[in-house]
Each structure stands twice: as structure tokens, then as C-alpha cells.
Amino acid sequence: MKTGIHPPYSPVVFRDRAAGFAFLTRSTMTSERTVEWEDGRTYPVVDVEISSASHPFYTGTARVVDAAGRVERFERRYGRGAGR
């Protein structure tokens, strides 16, 4: 790697405030806000809107979309196009 062209790579806490979930990882992101982590050290904290703790796919609350049923319902309402 070339020296002097890469951003600093350091520990950062990512926090999902909606789910009350936080995890410590390494990243190039920075923040002015800090939080004291479980190990007693202070790290920059980045708030995120969605994480694995709140995403419907990972929590098992995702709904299956029935595309075929939607097409059939549309055709029942509006009929098939004339001459197509």
C-alpha cells in the first residue's frame, strides 16, 4: 500500500438507536461524538438507521411479496389489454 493516501483505519462504534444495539468494529468513518465502550475505552460513535438487529430480513419479520397474485388482481380489475 502507498503511504499517505489512505484514510486512518481505527476502532469505531456503530449504534442502531431504534433497536438499542451497538457493535465495535474498525472503519475509516469518524465522528465528533464519542461513547465509552464495555472495555472502558472511549471510541467515536456513528449512529445508523438500520442494522442487523432491526432489518426485517435478519429479524425474520420480512414479508414475501406475491408478484403473481398482484398481476392476477390487476388483470381482474382492469382486464387484459384489447388486441394484445
Side-chain angles (χ1 to χ4, degrees), residues 16-69:
D16 182 354
R17 297 191 74 125
F21 176 71
F23 57 95
L24 177 65
T25 188
R26 294 180 57 88
S27 176
T28 59
M29 292 189 72
T30 60
S31 175
E32 296 295 322
R33 292 175 286 152
T34 60
V35 66
E36 186 174 333
W37 192 243
E38 299 162 355
D39 61 2
R41 295 183 180 169
T42 302
Y43 298 104
V45 63
V46 176
D47 290 326
V48 294
E49 293 181 21
I50 296 178
S51 70
S52 60
S54 62
H55 193 280
F57 179 79
Y58 296 109
T59 59
T61 59
R63 295 183 296 175
V64 176
V65 176
D66 181 19

Side-chain angles (χ1 to χ4, degrees), residues 1-9 28:
M1 287 184 7
K2 288 186 177 180
T3 58
I5 64 168
H6 300 285
Y9 187 66
T28 59

Side-chain angles (χ1 to χ4, degrees), residues 65-77:
V65 176
D66 181 19
R70 289 183 178 196
V71 171
E72 291 168 0
R73 189 172 59 214
F74 179 84
E75 289 177 352
R76 272 196 314 259
R77 280 188 189 163

